[in-house]
C-alpha cells in the first residue's frame, strides 16, 4: 500500500514511462517549477501554453532551461485552456493542467459539450490525497473544489471516484467516513437521509466495495481514542482512508487548514473526465503541484 506521496512518485517512476502534459496559461512560477521537476525526474513531457515572454521571465531568473518544454504562444487565457483540452481530446497529451488561468474559465473548456473531455453522463468532482504529519497514512478527501452542495447522486459519484483512487494506491476495501458535525441524525442535519441511503448502496454495488459509515464527526472518523471515549460503534473505527464532506464549504476550508497550519501536502485531480485534469489553486505550493502531476500519471 502506498502510504506517502513520495511512495506514489516512486510507483509512477517504476512504470518507466513519460506521460504528456498540456499546461493551460502556464506562466505561473509554481506550476513551471513543478513541471520542470517532473520533466527532470523522467516521467513527464510538457507543453506550456501561454504568453511566451511571461514564461521566459519566469524561467530565465530561475535558471530553468526552456528547452525542457515545448512552448505554444498565446495571449489569451481562454484560448490557452481550449488548446490544452484540444490536445488531450486529440490524443496528443495524456493530462491537462490548469496554470494561472481562473478555474471557471479552464473548466469551461474541459466541460465543453463538443470539444471537452467530460465522460458521457458523468458527474464532475474532485478527489485529493493529503499527506499530514499527524496521520499515519494518506487521507483522501472529496469534494473541496467543484460541487458546492452535492445531492445524493453526486455524493455517490464522489464516493466511487474516491474509492477508485484509493484502490490505485493499493487500498483494498478502504474505510469511507461520511462527515458531519456530529454522529447524530435528525431534521437539523440535512445529509442524514443521503448518508443512510449510501450505507445501503455498497451491498447493491452502486458504491464500490468499501467500509462506509456516517454521519461521523472528524474525531470518530480519524481518532481511535475518540471512538473509545464516546463509546460509539463504527466500522470506520477512527481509521478513515476517505472523508466525504457534505459541501464544498466544509471540505475546502478543511483541506486548506491542513495545508496552512498542519504541514499538509496534497495530490488531487478532477474526476469524471476522459483523461486526468489537474486543477490547483494559484496559491498552492510547488510541491503540491508536483504531487498532483505525479498523481495524474498514476490515474492515466
Amino acid at each position: 500500500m502506498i502510504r506517502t506521496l513520495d511512495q506514489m512518485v516512486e510507483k509512477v517512476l517504476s512504470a518507466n514511462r513519460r506521460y504528456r502534459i498540456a499546461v493551460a496559461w502556464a506562466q505561473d512560477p509554481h506550476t513551471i517549477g513543478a513541471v520542470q521537476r517532473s520533466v527532470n525526474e523522467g516521467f513527464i513531457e510538457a507543453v506550456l501554453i501561454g504568453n511566451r515572454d511571461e514564461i521566459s521571465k519566469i524561467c530565465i531568473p530561475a535558471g530553468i532551461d526552456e528547452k525542457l518544454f515545448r512552448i505554444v504562444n498565446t495571449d489569451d487565457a481562454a484560448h490557452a485552456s481550449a488548446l490544452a483540452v484540444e490536445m488531450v481530446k486529440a490524443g496528443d497529451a495524456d493530462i491537462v493542467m490548469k496554470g494561472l488561468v481562473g478555474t471557471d474559465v479552464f473548466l469551461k473548456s474541459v466541460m465543453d459539450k463538443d470539444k471537452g473531455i467530460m465522460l458521457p453522463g458523468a458527474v464532475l468532482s474532485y478527489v485529493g490525497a493529503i499527506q499530514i504529519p499527524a496521520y499515519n497514512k494518506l487521507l483522501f478527501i472529496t469534494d473541496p473544489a467543484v460541487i458546492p452542495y452535492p445531492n445524493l447522486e453526486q455524493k455517490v459519484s464522489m464516493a466511487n471516484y474516491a474509492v477508485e483512487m484509493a484502490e490505485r494506491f493499493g487500498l483494498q476495501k478502504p474505510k469511507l467516513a461520511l462527515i458531519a458535525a456530529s454522529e447524530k441524525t435528525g431534521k437539523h442535519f440535512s445529509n442524514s437521509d443521503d448518508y443512510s441511503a449510501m450505507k445501503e448502496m455498497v451491498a447493491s454495488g452502486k458504491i464500490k466495495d468499501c467500509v462506509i459509515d456516517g454521519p461521523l464527526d472528524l474525531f470518530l472518523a480519524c481518532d481511535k481514542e475518540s471512538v473509545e471515549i464516546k463509546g460509539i460503534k463504527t466500522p470506520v473505527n477512527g481509521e478513515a482512508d476517505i472523508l466525504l464532506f457534505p459541501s464544498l464549504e466544509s471540505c475546502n476550508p478543511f483541506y486548506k487548514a491542513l495545508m496552512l497550519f498542519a504541514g499538509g501536502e496534497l495530490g488531487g485531480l478532477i474526476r469524471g473526465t476522459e483523461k486526468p485534469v489537474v486543477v490547483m489553486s494559484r496559491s498552492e505550493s510547488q510541491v503540491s503541484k508536483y504531487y498532483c502531476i505525479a498523481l495524474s500519471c498514476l490515474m492515466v
Side-chain angles (χ1 to χ4, degrees), residues 144-165:
V146 178
I147 308 175
Y149 297 100
N151 58 29
L152 177 58
E153 178 187 359
Q154 291 167 327
K155 289 188 183 84
V156 171
S157 293
M158 289 161 57
N160 282 327
Y161 293 148
V163 172
E164 179 186 347
M165 184 179 288

Side-chain angles (χ1 to χ4, degrees), residues 93-121:
D94 305 301
I95 302 153
V96 61
M97 181 177 185
K98 181 180 89 72
L100 201 60
V101 61
T103 300
D104 55 342
V105 174
F106 177 74
L107 288 183
K108 185 177 180 180
S109 292
V110 171
M111 299 173 68
D112 185 279
K113 290 183 178 180
D114 298 319
K115 299 179 180 180
I117 53 173
M118 282 281 292
L119 291 168

Side-chain angles (χ1 to χ4, degrees), residues 19 30 49 76 80 85 89 103 144 184 229 236 240 266 283 289:
Y19 301 85
H30 287 175
I49 305 172
D76 183 79
V85 171
K89 186 77 173 178
T103 300
K184 296 177 181 179
I229 291 171
V236 172
L266 172 77
S283 60
K289 291 188 177 185

